């Protein structure tokens, strides 16, 4: 009779040990989360590129973008912002950031109509960025660059127009192209490409020190490749071209969250066989290999969470009542040892293979549609 009792007793004891181990590990993880909530814990000297991942439809995204960029600008000297927008179209936005000419901003925003970026919050962020930039010394000025595909040809033409020196004589070989650009004629795209291919020297002389930006913009108008992850590959190509001009400087960009993960996995929207911008940026052929910091924004809302509960595990954050940052790669971090957050992660990976920072945003409202004053 005694022998028959021993086996279930051992099973029960093992079960208790396992439960106790899980309990104390959970306590340890929650303790770490509670104690590592300052941006100052980010070792900014270890990174050249800082990516944050947002949901485009929540109002707190741009408020967070303002907060994290301000910190990185002051703490790490980051003065280059990369945008999830076309190379050429962002030339127009950057012109606004430098000059404050409201017409540039209104023109840029008008081409976003019908997209998730056409928001009052986005407009207000750029207004804030201009004011912030205007107060900096000349050698500390911020510049904004697009690295995405061009989503709107007219937006691209508007961007190229700001590269034109209107006081400079136009070479005969470029007259037609430049006229089409000034007239905002869609045919300018093809005409500029032909001018670049057939009269590159004239283009170099006419655009001067802005030629490299003209060249990068023209090449981005005709991207090669295909597949679901084509955009991320183009982002990497465009970033590499930009980095060659800004080598040694640091960058910040806030993108849709799917673009910032640094390893493959299944998510709500992307399969594990698709490459992300973050993977390429931190990969072996990147000029900033192993110097990329990815920070994910997650949104806990009464009407539903983002990312979804089927992908992201919110159980460790039940007691968090306000917007909270967590540095995942601090000293003795459990996130370096195990994967705790992503249900689609690869079996042997740890959390820090994907992201290095987390920001929990509580009860964010949806963004508001942008309505121009006139």
């Amino acid at each position: 009779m005694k022998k028959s009792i021993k086996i279930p007793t051992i099973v029960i004891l093992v079960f208790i040990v396992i439960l106790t181990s899980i309990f104390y590990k959970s306590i340890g993880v929650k303790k770490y989360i509670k104690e590592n909530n300052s941006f100052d814990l980010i070792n900014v000297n270890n990174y050249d590129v800082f990516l944050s991942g947002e949901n485009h439809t929540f109002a707190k995204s741009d408020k967070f973008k303002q907060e994290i960029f301000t910190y990185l600008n002051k703490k790490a000297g980051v003065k280059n912002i990369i945008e999830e927008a076309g190379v050429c179209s962002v030339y127009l936005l950057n012109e606004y950031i430098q000059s404050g000419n409201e017409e540039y901003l209104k023109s840029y925003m008008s081409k976003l109509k019908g997209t998730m970026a056409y928001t009052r919050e986005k407009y207000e962020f750029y207004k804030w960025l201009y004011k912030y930039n205007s107060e900096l010394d000349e050698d500390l000025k911020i510049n904004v660059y697009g690295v995405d595909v061009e989503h709107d040809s007219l937006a691209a033409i508007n961007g190229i127009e700001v590269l034109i020196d209107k006081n400079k004589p136009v070479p005969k070989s470029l007259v037609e192209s430049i006229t089409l650009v000034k007239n905002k004629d869609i045919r300018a795209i093809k005409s500029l490409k032909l001018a670049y291919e057939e009269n590159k020297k004239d283009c170099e002389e006419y655009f001067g020190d802005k030629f490299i930006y003209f060249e990068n913009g023209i090449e981005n108008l005709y991207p090669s490749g295909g597949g679901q992850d084509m955009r991320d590959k183009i982002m990497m190509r465009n970033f590499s071209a930009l980095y060659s001009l800004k080598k040694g400087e640091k960058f910040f960009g806030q993108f849709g969250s799917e673009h910032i993960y640094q390893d493959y996995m299944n998510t709500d929207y992307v399969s594990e066989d698709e490459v992300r911008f973050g993977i390429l940026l931190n990969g072996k052929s990147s000029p900033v290999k192993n110097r990329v910091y990815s920070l994910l924004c997650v949104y806990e809302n009464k009407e539903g969470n983002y990312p979804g509960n089927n992908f992201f595990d919110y159980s460790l954050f039940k007691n968090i009542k306000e917007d909270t940052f967590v540095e995942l790669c601090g000293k003795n971090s459990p996130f370096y040892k195990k994967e705790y957050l992503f249900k689609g992660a690869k079996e042997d990976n740890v959390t820090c293979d994907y992201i290095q920072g987390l920001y929990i945003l509580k009860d964010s409202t949806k963004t508001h549609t942008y309505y121009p004053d006139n």
Side-chain angles (χ1 to χ4, degrees):
M1 188 71 176
K2 288 182 181 179
K3 285 185 179 181
S4 64
I5 294 173
K6 285 182 180 179
I7 294 176
T9 302
I10 291 171
V11 171
I12 291 169
L13 287 172
V14 170
F15 186 66
I16 291 171
V17 168
I18 292 171
L19 285 179
T20 303
S21 174
I22 292 171
F23 173 75
Y24 280 109
K25 279 185 180 179
S26 177
I27 292 293
V29 174
K30 289 178 180 178
K31 184 174 184 290
Y32 176 88
I33 290 170
K34 189 176 181 180
E35 294 175 351
N36 289 269
N37 307 129
S38 171
F39 286 155
D40 286 334
L41 294 171
I42 303 172
N43 191 339
V44 294
N45 295 324
N46 285 350
Y47 305 102
D48 292 326
V49 181
F50 301 86
L51 294 179
S52 53
E54 66 167 24
N55 180 294
H56 300 310
T57 66
F58 287 115
K60 282 190 175 183
S61 296
D62 282 298
K63 284 293 184 185
F64 168 73
K65 186 177 182 179
Q66 179 177 328
E67 179 185 0
I68 186 65
F69 175 72
T70 302
Y71 176 82
L72 292 172
N73 176 254
K74 291 179 178 178
K75 182 75 173 182
V78 176
K79 57 183 183 179
N80 300 296
I81 298 178
I82 51 175
E83 291 279 295
E84 190 181 342
V87 171
C88 294
S89 61
V90 176
Y91 292 155
L92 190 68
L93 175 61
N94 192 54
E95 196 70 14
Y96 165 71
I97 300 302
Q98 307 312 317
S99 69
N101 186 332
E102 188 80 10
E103 293 306 310
Y104 290 130
L105 180 57
K106 288 180 178 179
S107 177
Y108 178 78
M109 290 298 300
S110 71
K111 300 306 178 188
L112 299 178
K113 193 170 186 179
T115 74
M116 289 185 287
Y118 192 66
T119 68
R120 187 173 73 208
E121 288 78 12
K122 191 74 65 185
Y123 173 78
E124 290 173 352
F125 171 79
Y126 294 134
K127 293 278 285 184
W128 167 84
L129 185 60
Y130 161 70
K131 185 175 185 302
Y132 183 86
N133 195 42
S134 69
E135 296 169 355
L136 297 174
D137 293 339
E138 198 61 37
D139 61 335
L140 299 176
K141 292 293 186 185
I142 297 156
N143 283 282
V144 184
Y145 303 96
V147 295
D148 205 346
V149 298
E150 298 293 348
H151 297 285
D152 186 295
S153 296
L154 285 177
I157 291 169
N158 289 343
I160 290 172
E161 187 175 9
V162 303
L163 302 178
I164 294 172
D165 184 346
K166 295 179 180 178
N167 298 317
K168 196 171 184 179
V170 181
K172 186 177 179 180
S173 62
L174 300 181
V175 168
E176 180 184 339
S177 300
I178 300 304
T179 301
L180 289 171
V181 169
K182 290 179 178 179
N183 291 336
K184 304 186 187 306
D185 191 315
I186 197 72
R187 292 175 296 173
I189 298 293
K190 186 176 181 180
S191 182
L192 285 168
K193 182 175 184 291
L194 289 172
Y196 169 71
E197 292 173 346
E198 296 175 2
N199 301 285
K200 187 174 179 179
K201 188 175 180 180
D202 286 349
C203 291
E204 289 178 3
E205 291 177 358
Y206 180 66
F207 286 98
D209 58 0
K210 294 181 179 179
F211 170 74
I212 188 62
Y213 296 103
F214 168 76
E215 183 175 49
N216 290 344
I218 292 299
E219 290 179 352
N220 195 52
L221 288 168
Y222 291 88
S224 58
Q228 293 292 324
D229 51 10
M230 181 189 78
R231 279 181 62 209
D232 291 79
K233 292 172 182 176
I234 290 171
M235 287 178 190
M236 185 64 219
R237 187 196 71 187
N238 289 331
F239 175 81
S240 295
L242 175 61
Y243 187 79
S244 70
L245 304 174
K246 299 280 183 176
K247 197 170 292 184
E249 297 187 18
K250 293 180 183 286
F251 296 78
F252 163 76
Q254 185 153 304
F255 291 70
S257 59
E258 293 290 352
H259 298 291
I260 67 133
Y261 300 122
Q262 294 180 16
D263 206 342
Y264 296 86
M265 66 174 163
N266 289 313
T267 66
D268 290 333
Y269 301 101
V270 178
S271 67
E272 65 179 355
D273 59 345
E274 293 177 48
V275 74
R276 270 88 161 182
F277 180 43
I279 295 172
L280 296 169
L281 203 56
N282 208 42
K284 61 183 180 180
S285 60
S286 169
V288 291
K289 174 187 176 183
N290 296 329
R291 296 189 63 81
V292 180
Y293 185 94
S294 290
L295 188 160
L296 176 67
C297 294
V298 298
Y299 305 78
E300 281 196 291
N301 300 310
K302 292 176 182 177
E303 66 272 19
N305 298 330
Y306 182 89
N309 296 336
N310 291 331
F311 165 63
F312 188 87
D313 188 352
Y314 288 87
S315 62
L316 293 171
F317 311 104
K318 286 180 179 178
N319 295 325
I320 291 178
K321 306 299 182 186
E322 60 185 7
D323 296 349
T324 302
F325 167 73
V326 183
E327 167 55 37
L328 300 176
C329 296
K331 187 177 180 181
N332 299 320
S333 170
F335 298 99
Y336 256 136
K337 301 172 184 177
K338 186 179 175 182
E339 209 307 287
Y340 284 95
L341 305 179
F342 304 116
K343 298 175 183 179
K346 293 194 289 189
E347 187 175 344
D348 296 328
N349 277 19
V350 300
T351 303
C352 289
D353 289 331
Y354 297 100
I355 59 172
Q356 293 73 48
L358 186 72
Y359 208 105
I360 299 99
L361 293 166
K362 304 286 290 187
D363 300 319
S364 176
T365 60
K366 290 289 187 177
T367 53
H368 302 83
T369 302
Y370 166 71
Y371 293 106
D373 296 333
N374 48 54

